[in-house]
Amino acid sequence: DIQMTQSPSTLSASVGDRVTITCRASQSISNWLAWYQQKPGKAPKLLIYKASSLESGVPSRFSGSGAGTEFTLTISSPQPDDFATYYCQQYDSYPWTFGQGTKVEI
Amino acid sequence: QITLKESGPTLVKPTQTLTLTCTFSGFSLSTRAVGVGWFRQPPGKALEWLAVIYWDDAKTYSPSLKSRLTITKDTSKSQVVLTMTNMDPVDTATYYCAHKAAAPGILDSWGQGTLVAVSS
C-alpha cells in the first residue's frame, strides 16, 4: 500500500495568513493526488484533483502543487469558513489511501 | 446535480453482517468510467477507502477487508449496496458513499454519511 503522510497534524493560523500543508507519498504517484476539506459532522469536499486542478466552485485562494512524492496544499488567505480538517488522497493505485489529516485551527 | 445518500442500521451486534445502501441521483452508473465508492471514518480518525464499483460492474476492494466485503449495484434503482460480514466494535465508523467521476479517481460528490455503531 502507498502510505500518505501529512504535516503538520495541526496548524494554528489567523484569518489572512498563508497556510501550507504538505503531503508525502511513500512512492511516486505521479500527479494522482486529491485534496479534501472536511468540517465536523460533514462529508469530505473535493478541493483539488490531479495535484493542482481546482474543482469547480472552489475559491481560487486554494491551490495545489507537486508531483511524484511531495505535494502541497496552499490557502493563500484563509477565511473563517476555511478552518477545517484537510486530507490528501492518492489514486495512483489501489488501495486508495488517505493522509491522516491536518486540522487548521484559528 | 449529483446527490448520494447512505442508509442502513445505526447499530449492529458483533459478528453480524452490515448492509448499507447508497441511493443516488444526478448520474447513471451505466455511463462509461463512472463509479461509486464506499469509505469509512472511525470517530476522530482519518478516512479509509473500502470498495468501488464501476459502470461495467468491475469491482475493487481494500485488500485488508476484501474477505468481508461485497459491493453490488442496481442500475435501474440507482443504488449501490455494500455488505460487510463479521462486524466488530472496531468497525464503528461513519460510512460514506461517493461518486467517482468519469475522469480517473475523482470523487467529486459524497453522501452525508451514516454512523454505524457495533456493540452488543
Side-chain angles (χ1 to χ4, degrees):
Chain A
D1 299 5
I2 298 175
Q3 307 301 318
M4 306 301 292
T5 304
Q6 288 182 234
S7 60
S9 296
T10 306
L11 185 156
S12 295
S14 300
V15 172
D17 283 351
R18 183 181 183 88
V19 167
T20 300
I21 300 169
T22 297
C23 177
R24 290 186 173 87
S26 59
Q27 64 190 69
S28 177
I29 58 170
S30 183
N31 61 352
W32 301 117
L33 183 102
W35 289 97
Y36 298 88
Q37 177 193 69
Q38 188 178 34
K39 296 180 179 178
K42 301 295 186 183
K45 174 187 174 183
L46 178 66
L47 301 175
I48 302 282
Y49 61 93
K50 215 172 177 185
S52 60
S53 297
L54 193 68
E55 171 69 349
S56 176
V58 174
S60 59
R61 62 181 179 271
F62 290 93
S63 63
S65 64
T69 62
E70 188 152 337
F71 302 86
T72 298
L73 173 71
T74 300
I75 313 173
S76 60
S77 181
Q79 300 304 297
D81 190 51
D82 300 338
F83 293 94
T85 299
Y86 293 84
Y87 292 95
C88 61
Q89 179 236 337
Q90 68 81 19
Y91 51 96
D92 175 73
S93 63
Y94 297 109
W96 294 339
T97 47
F98 291 83
Q100 81 278 16
T102 295
K103 185 176 182 180
V104 178
E105 304 176 319
I106 299 175
Chain B
Q1 179 191 2
I2 291 174
T3 64
L4 305 98
K5 187 172 184 179
E6 306 86 353
S7 59
T10 57
L11 178 66
V12 298
K13 290 180 166 49
T15 75
Q16 286 186 336
T17 293
L18 172 68
T19 299
L20 294 172
T21 301
C22 176
T23 303
F24 58 85
S25 63
F27 70 96
S28 172
L29 244 188
S30 58
T31 301
R32 184 177 182 85
V34 167
V36 171
W38 280 97
F39 303 80
R40 69 179 179 179
Q41 185 173 39
K45 296 189 177 181
L47 293 156
E48 178 185 16
W49 168 70
L50 302 176
V52 63
I53 189 166
Y54 291 97
W55 65 289
D56 58 356
D57 209 37
K59 304 162 189 177
T60 306
Y61 296 98
S62 169
S64 63
L65 293 166
K66 186 175 182 177
S67 64
R68 299 173 53 203
L69 296 174
T70 303
I71 190 169
T72 59
K73 66 180 176 69
D74 186 331
T75 304
S76 64
K77 292 184 178 180
S78 295
Q79 291 182 333
V80 171
V81 175
L82 181 77
T83 61
M84 181 180 291
T85 61
N86 194 24
M87 293 292 285
D88 182 272
V90 300
D91 297 313
T92 294
T94 297
Y95 288 75
Y96 296 98
C97 60
H99 168 256
K100 195 212 79 69
I106 296 176
L107 301 161
D108 57 0
S109 297
W110 292 63
Q112 63 189 25
T114 185
L115 177 60
V116 179
V118 184
S119 174
S120 55

